[in-house]
Amino acid sequence: QVRLVQSGAEMKRPGASVTISCKGFGYTFTDYPLHWVRQAPGQSLEWVGWIVAGHGNTTFPKKFQGRIAITSDSFASTVNMELRSLRSDDTAIYYCARGLSAPGIGGNWFAPWGQGTLVTVSS
Amino acid sequence: SYDLTQSLSLSVALGQTARITCGGNNIASKNVHWYQRKPGQAPVLVMYRDGNRPSGITERFSGSNWRNTATLTISRAQAGDEADYYCQVWDSNIWFFGGGTKLTVL
């Protein structure tokens, strides 16, 4: 059974950093990209970035560039996402999700998703 | 940036058909994917590339995409279909989500 398991909830002060891990089970980890998506309270889903697990290439939306890093440990089938200089509006549930695609089709769709990690940023 | 517009909420009577829409400029030129999120649970893919159902998703779910509107249709709505539904597209190497529609089954 393909599944993603994330690390536990985190509580951080503004300005701190947080690292969330996502471990894949039931599939060849390096064959699929891994995305991060977050959902702040009362808000919609927001794509945070992705890593091509087999190559280590990453892409992020402009709003996160400079304070986010996504790394992959293929041997451990784990991807870590670090978000730095945390602000209160970074408070959200962060999800990892496996990216799926088809030959000749641009973009991924996401399945499955991890269970989510609540990150709370508060002074 | 690519804006996706969804109605905040939609109500449907038990056993009737719910149509959840996602509006975007010439959205028919893009592949649209749909996710269902129930309270306290992670999102689940229920439709990909406009009208393709993942394994394990009931055939009561169908999808279409035409001109400026993509639609997720839920036939014979059941209480278990109550959830938030999000559309998603890929544009310029960025993934965008709609604001989500809360489906209530009466």
Side-chain angles (χ1 to χ4, degrees):
Chain A
Q1 178 191 8
V2 176
R3 61 191 178 104
L4 299 172
V5 178
Q6 299 180 221
S7 52
E10 301 270 6
M11 185 168 290
K12 296 291 182 182
R13 301 290 189 194
S17 299
V18 68
T19 298
I20 307 169
S21 68
C22 173
K23 185 174 176 64
F25 295 88
Y27 70 101
T28 302
F29 193 71
T30 52
D31 283 352
Y32 298 86
L34 203 293
H35 295 261
W36 289 92
V37 177
R38 73 180 186 180
Q39 186 164 33
Q43 303 296 312
S44 183
L45 300 169
E46 179 180 28
W47 182 70
V48 173
W50 74 319
I51 185 167
V52 181
H55 303 120
N57 294 338
T58 56
T59 303
F60 316 106
K62 284 183 180 179
K63 69 179 288 186
F64 295 107
Q65 290 177 6
R67 68 183 190 106
I68 190 172
I70 300 177
T71 57
S72 175
D73 180 347
S74 299
F75 292 104
S77 298
T78 298
V79 166
N80 294 311
M81 185 205 67
E82 179 191 28
L83 191 59
R84 302 180 290 269
S85 302
L86 289 168
R87 307 185 291 252
S88 58
D89 62 0
D90 290 317
T91 294
I93 300 174
Y94 288 76
Y95 297 97
C96 60
R98 186 180 68 162
L100 300 175
S101 62
I105 303 294
N108 291 168
W109 47 99
F110 300 171
W113 295 54
Q115 84 275 19
T117 298
L118 176 62
V119 174
T120 304
V121 183
S122 174
S123 55
Chain B
S1 182
Y2 187 85
D3 293 328
L4 294 169
T5 302
Q6 295 185 245
S7 298
L8 275 177
S9 62
L10 177 68
S11 297
V12 62
L14 186 69
Q16 297 304 300
T17 298
R19 293 180 178 84
I20 301 170
T21 60
C22 176
N25 184 33
N26 194 25
I27 198 173
S29 66
K30 304 184 184 304
N31 291 299
V32 179
H33 320 299
W34 291 90
Y35 301 89
Q36 175 195 69
R37 191 171 107 81
K38 296 181 178 180
Q41 298 183 21
V44 173
L45 177 73
V46 295
M47 198 67 56
Y48 66 97
R49 290 174 55 198
D50 301 341
N52 293 274
R53 256 190 332 272
S55 174
I57 300 300
T58 174
E59 64 181 14
R60 296 186 299 105
F61 283 58
S62 61
S64 63
N65 188 5
W66 187 65
R67 289 193 175 176
N68 295 312
T69 304
T71 303
L72 176 70
T73 301
I74 305 173
S75 304
R76 305 184 300 281
Q78 300 178 358
D81 298 331
E82 276 205 349
D84 294 327
Y85 291 85
Y86 299 89
C87 57
Q88 178 201 32
V89 301
W90 177 70
D91 182 79
S92 302
N93 210 26
I94 303 291
W95 281 263
F96 297 94
F97 290 91
T101 297
K102 182 178 182 60
L103 178 68
T104 301
V105 180
L106 304 173

